[in-house]
Amino acid sequence: SVNSARSSVKLNFVGNSINISSVSLAGQITDEISCTHEGEDIEIGFACRYLLDIMRALDCEKVVLNLKAPRVSMNVCPYDKDEKKDQFYLVMPVKITD
């Protein structure tokens, strides 16, 4: 839909969790999921639609998110490489505002 294309999601990697938040015309949502996190804490934003499309295409329980900076693309692939070895996605970030 048009609204999902304009909506963004903010991922805040802190310690061993990802704080997820999104605000759109439909409302706002926040959630927290546990993760194994290497490197420094980072906050990054993405267009909801693109991130959801990747997660639907992967169709697996665990994924690997590789990112280095808030304004650089994020690579997404299945955690279990043998299960879906050919899947690899790249998503560009969007500028996030508080």
Side-chain angles (χ1 to χ4, degrees):
S1 79
V2 174
N3 290 340
S4 67
R6 293 185 199 158
S7 300
S8 62
V9 62
K10 181 168 53 172
L11 305 178
N12 192 3
F13 295 82
V14 180
N16 286 324
S17 66
I18 306 171
N19 298 312
I20 304 166
S21 60
S22 181
V23 178
S24 72
L25 296 175
Q28 71 180 52
I29 187 166
T30 59
D31 200 357
E32 183 177 321
I33 58 175
S34 61
C35 69
T36 302
H37 173 232
E38 296 176 12
E40 295 187 24
D41 293 349
I42 189 170
E43 184 176 81
I44 190 168
F46 299 98
C48 288
R49 181 176 181 177
Y50 300 135
L51 200 54
L52 285 172
D53 285 348
I54 290 171
M55 294 305 167
R56 286 184 186 121
L58 284 169
D59 191 31
C60 57
E61 264 190 59
K62 292 183 179 182
V63 296
V64 176
L65 309 174
N66 290 308
L67 59 151
K68 293 185 172 130
R71 301 219 171 136
V72 179
S73 65
M74 178 173 72
N75 301 330
V76 185
C77 61
Y79 178 78
D80 184 357
K81 300 263 188 217
D82 295 332
E83 181 181 323
K84 299 176 189 282
K85 62 185 171 197
D86 295 333
Q87 289 187 305
F88 174 87
Y89 297 91
L90 176 118
V91 62
M92 295 303 293
V94 297
K95 185 176 180 181
I96 50 177
T97 56
D98 291 333

